[in-house]
Amino acid sequence: MATRAHFEKSCEIGVFSKLTNTYCLTAIGASENFYSVFESELAETIPVIHTSLAGCRIIGTLCVGNRHGLIVPSSATDQELQHIRNCLPDAVKVQRVEERLSALGNVVACNDYVALVHPDLDVETEEIIADTLRVEVFRQTIAGNVIVGNYCAFNNAGGLVHPRTNTNDLDELSSLLQVPLAAGTVNRGSDAIGAGLVVNDWCAFCGMDTTSTELSVIESIFKISGAQPSAITGHLRDTLVDTLMLSCALAYRVILIPVVIRFVVGLDRSKVLLHIENGLYVPKIRNINPGSC
């Protein structure tokens, strides 16, 4: 499910948060509302950590991470690093890196398997990313933009990229990431995808200005709409009907007996009859007179 949020009237929530499958970082702010939005959705599954980096609140811009690890710039203080380590799961590795392009969230985009990085990133930093996050690293641009982290977002099921990304680039990126991609926007037409959206494998958060159409695209491409109760109910109902009809077919193999089954959902005033077709009993649905029910 995708949830709208804002940080002190700013819709660029990706600048002030970092979301992965094992933890979430949120910036320290004057208002607790931003932190509360994340905590209400995530507290039962992953830790939500209230922190700053290098004394700044733009933590989403300064760090990069996935379920395996977190990489922060050398400007992060020892106290901040210790606080984050104390709150993170033991399996998550935290690494500080010396990098000229210190806004790591802008120059790196990753999921749990692949990372796209700025073409001019240091080789040493690239090796640290590959080792700490356990990903394959590719130097790429998004629609001609080198700050890849700002113009795309992806999880392990799909991704959203800059709206001006052409078809050839989409195919190439999709091949590298091994997930389907879509070109789109957030926050009512903004192309800064990474700044306006954070996502993991089961939920997403985007800016308050994001339209319902943009939300629909986000839920579809990241495969997170399946977490909605209505979708789960529909799937279980279909499975139940299929199982029941199959059980009926197996139960009446020897003698052909018309069976009347009333379903509360889906099959209103209908008969399920078992017919012989090529030696097999096949359930068929036939409308009947309401008076006979």
Side-chain angles (χ1 to χ4, degrees):
M1 183 178 68
T3 304
R4 293 185 180 99
H6 63 86
F7 183 85
E8 297 180 2
K9 298 184 179 180
S10 171
C11 291
E12 307 295 327
I13 66 164
V15 173
F16 304 101
S17 61
K18 181 64 65 178
L19 176 63
T20 75
N21 287 331
T22 50
Y23 60 88
C24 176
L25 306 181
T26 64
I28 295 173
S31 171
E32 291 294 314
N33 290 343
F34 185 67
Y35 174 78
S36 299
V37 170
F38 284 85
E39 190 176 43
S40 64
E41 294 289 335
L42 303 171
E44 295 183 0
T45 53
I46 59 176
V48 182
I49 304 165
H50 220 177
T51 188
S52 62
L53 285 174
C56 301
R57 299 186 294 178
I58 54 172
I59 59 173
T61 300
L62 294 177
C63 71
V64 62
N66 62 10
R67 71 183 175 92
H68 301 296
L70 174 68
I71 301 175
V72 299
S74 58
S75 54
T77 67
D78 292 337
Q79 291 83 358
E80 290 167 339
L81 219 56
Q82 189 60 48
H83 167 62
I84 292 172
R85 282 196 175 109
N86 290 341
C87 297
L88 286 176
D90 294 337
V92 178
K93 183 178 180 181
V94 182
Q95 180 70 44
R96 189 156 44 185
V97 64
E98 287 275 355
E99 170 57 49
R100 177 177 56 88
L101 303 172
S102 59
L104 298 174
N106 279 348
V107 297
V108 182
C110 70
N111 60 13
D112 293 337
Y113 304 101
V114 181
L116 305 180
V117 302
H118 190 294
D120 297 331
L121 201 72
D122 287 347
V123 174
E124 184 179 346
T125 303
E126 181 182 340
E127 293 172 353
I128 291 173
I129 291 171
D131 178 60
T132 304
L133 305 184
R134 303 181 199 172
V135 293
E136 290 185 83
V137 182
F138 299 98
R139 295 177 181 265
Q140 276 290 330
T141 61
I142 305 289
N145 297 289
V146 293
I147 48 176
V148 292
N150 198 45
Y151 291 109
C152 74
F154 50 96
N155 61 8
N156 297 324
L160 193 66
V161 299
H162 192 288
R164 294 190 178 180
T165 307
N166 62 46
T167 305
N168 291 336
D169 288 346
L170 267 179
D171 291 342
E172 180 183 353
L173 291 170
S174 182
S175 177
L176 290 176
L177 300 172
Q178 293 297 298
V179 296
L181 297 178
T185 60
V186 294
N187 289 328
R188 205 177 296 274
S190 171
D191 56 16
I193 307 296
L197 169 72
V198 290
V199 63
N200 65 11
D201 283 351
W202 68 87
C203 68
F205 298 86
C206 49
M208 274 291 192
D209 288 344
T210 303
T211 66
S212 57
T213 302
E214 290 170 335
L215 274 179
S216 178
V217 172
I218 289 168
E219 291 182 344
S220 174
I221 195 62
F222 290 115
K223 309 290 192 299
I224 55 176
S225 58
Q228 295 176 346
S230 59
I232 293 174
T233 302
H235 173 70
L236 291 178
R237 181 192 64 194
D238 294 342
T239 303
L240 177 62
V241 170
D242 291 343
T243 302
L244 184 55
M245 295 176 81
L246 179 59
S247 299
C248 290
L250 294 175
Y252 292 97
R253 272 178 150 180
V254 180
I255 303 174
L256 182 61
I257 302 177
V259 181
V260 180
I261 304 176
R262 297 187 184 183
F263 293 95
V264 177
V265 180
L267 302 179
D268 215 5
R269 298 184 180 278
S270 300
K271 271 188 179 179
V272 177
L273 302 180
L274 303 181
H275 292 269
I276 297 180
E277 289 186 5
N278 298 324
L280 297 175
Y281 285 93
V282 180
K284 289 189 174 181
I285 300 169
R286 186 179 69 189
N287 291 329
I288 63 172
N289 192 332
S292 62
C293 293

